[in-house]
Amino acid sequence: MDNSGNRLAEDAKARVIATPAVWLEGEAIRQLEEVAQDDDCASAVGMPDLHPGPGIPIGAAFGFTQTIRPRLVGSDAGCGALVVGLGKVKLSSSLERRVRAEFARPPFAEENLDALCCSAWKHGPAALDDSGVSEFLGALIGPDGLCESGDLPSSVYGSALGTIGGGNHFAEIGRVTDVVDKGAATELGLGKGSLVALCHSGSRGLGKALADTWGHTALKDDAAADYLADLAGAVRFARANRVLLAGRLLRALGVARPKKIVCAFDCVHNHVTRENNLWVHRKGCAPAHNGQMAAVLGSRGTPSWIVRGLGNPDGLSSVAHGAGRKMMRSEAREKIRARYRRKQLTKSRLGGMVICDDTKLLYEEHPDAYKDIEPVIDSLVQAKLAERIVSIEPLITVKK
DNA sequence: ATGTAC
């Protein structure tokens, strides 16, 4: 028995992780059930941030027995959230100016990008010395480098590295506010009041190219292996992008040394991996294996939560990736425009500020367009998918 | 969510 109440038709394969306090759009549940009806689908789990997407819902994990479905990974393969704990950092009074300046200029020198984007990366991260995050990059990206040799046209996508991207993506400096699991928080260096860099970004044009190439296919054998190799490149690209964004935040904070980093973990939201004899596709959904840390992203008006996964098979070892939208973008543009003056849009209910020149995006991404995160986290905890560690409230959020 | 074209 799941806790979805009576929202789902009799369908043993689809379930929703949501207490009655979580509002869910009917169209999202319809899309979830539609995927679950596929003969090869063993289970489809909607997370409490489930919302309608392009034919398939966002905020769900799908377990397939035999085949890989690139469509269920979507056009932003590798998109995810990076959390970097910085411990106690003294904030400069000119922080806002410094963050603005950092994100107003190109992120890295051309020659460094080239070094990053080609197979030369495999020989070491030394080319990135200018940011002071090279060791950090090397540690997070791993020895395989950014991409398979020759599979990434750096001239096309390289300039996207270290930039935020659009939509719900952001780079943020936040502060730990509520500490629920003090032991875990201390162990991670995420004590109350400590600073965190939080980066939500994806694989940009590379992920789109991948989606266009693989389309709505059902993959097995050699084709599946080819797709997985492409996907691995997109995941490394997206992860590198997040690391570079974190590097820029560190630069603005005046924290240029990797040893100041007390913890770092990266959650991939759009991915497919083989787990327990299933191809587990996560679409807007973070892995939460037993002991694995995940960030469930808030909305500036509501905090983000760091949770520890419990590896619950009923939830396909996953958790929600965020609070989830409450309004469609078009609806948000109209309603928020009527509700607030332009000047009110850059300061959030929690006191944080957003740096964003795009008024339309400020409407679409306003906290009012998102659900409260509290029932979302509560649903994950009640269903025993994860446990709360700490909450993080935004101080400065950069969006493009 | 994206890069490009309109």
Side-chain angles (χ1 to χ4, degrees), chain A residues 86 89-103 172-175 195-197 248-255 352-353 355 394-398:
Chain A
L86 302 171
V89 175
K90 200 162 188 185
L91 292 183
S92 146
S93 58
S94 59
L95 181 62
E96 182 196 342
R97 184 181 54 76
R98 291 179 59 121
V99 172
R100 275 184 198 279
E102 173 59 48
F103 284 90
E172 183 172 280
I173 297 166
R175 194 191 286 287
L195 276 208
V196 174
R248 299 182 74 182
L249 290 173
L250 266 57
R251 208 147 59 175
L253 280 163
V255 177
M353 69 152 53
I355 295 174
L395 297 174
I396 296 185
T397 308
V398 190

Side-chain angles (χ1 to χ4, degrees), chain A residues 322-338:
Chain A
R325 290 196 79 84
K326 172 165 79 178
M327 294 179 201
M328 293 190 311
R329 290 180 179 279
S330 53
E331 183 188 358
R333 282 198 295 273
E334 287 182 20
K335 286 194 173 158
I336 312 297
R337 185 162 52 87

Side-chain angles (χ1 to χ4, degrees), chain A residues 148-323:
Chain A
E148 304 304 326
S149 179
D151 72 352
L152 178 66
S154 69
S155 58
V156 179
Y157 303 117
S159 59
L161 278 166
T163 62
I164 294 168
N168 57 3
H169 290 171
F170 62 80
E172 183 172 280
I173 297 166
R175 194 191 286 287
V176 173
T177 46
D178 291 351
V179 175
V180 172
D181 185 334
K182 202 170 176 189
T186 305
E187 202 174 311
L188 282 163
L190 293 176
K192 193 175 172 73
S194 60
L195 276 208
V196 174
L198 191 53
C199 301
H200 181 206
S201 187
S203 56
R204 313 295 293 278
L206 181 61
K208 175 68 163 68
L210 217 127
D212 291 347
T213 300
W214 294 96
H216 289 200
T217 45
L219 305 173
K220 281 171 128 173
D221 307 322
D222 288 355
D226 287 350
Y227 171 71
L228 289 175
D230 276 4
L231 179 63
V235 168
R236 286 197 293 275
F237 183 98
R239 180 166 280 163
N241 197 29
R242 291 189 283 278
V243 171
L244 293 171
L245 285 171
R248 299 182 74 182
L249 290 173
L250 266 57
R251 208 147 59 175
L253 280 163
V255 177
R257 290 180 190 284
K259 69 180 176 188
K260 296 272 187 187
I261 292 157
V262 297
C263 75
F265 54 89
D266 189 68
C267 322
V268 182
H269 295 158
N270 297 335
H271 204 3
V272 55
T273 53
R274 189 73 176 167
E275 298 170 17
N276 302 318
N277 290 319
L278 284 177
W279 288 112
V280 177
H281 304 70
R282 293 187 177 86
K283 174 66 189 168
C285 182
H289 299 284
N290 194 20
Q292 184 173 21
M293 306 304 292
V296 187
L297 304 174
S299 62
R300 304 203 312 277
T302 192
S304 298
W305 274 90
I306 305 300
V307 301
R308 183 178 48 224
L310 291 168
N312 187 335
D314 291 342
L316 289 172
S317 295
S318 302
V319 288
H321 75 322

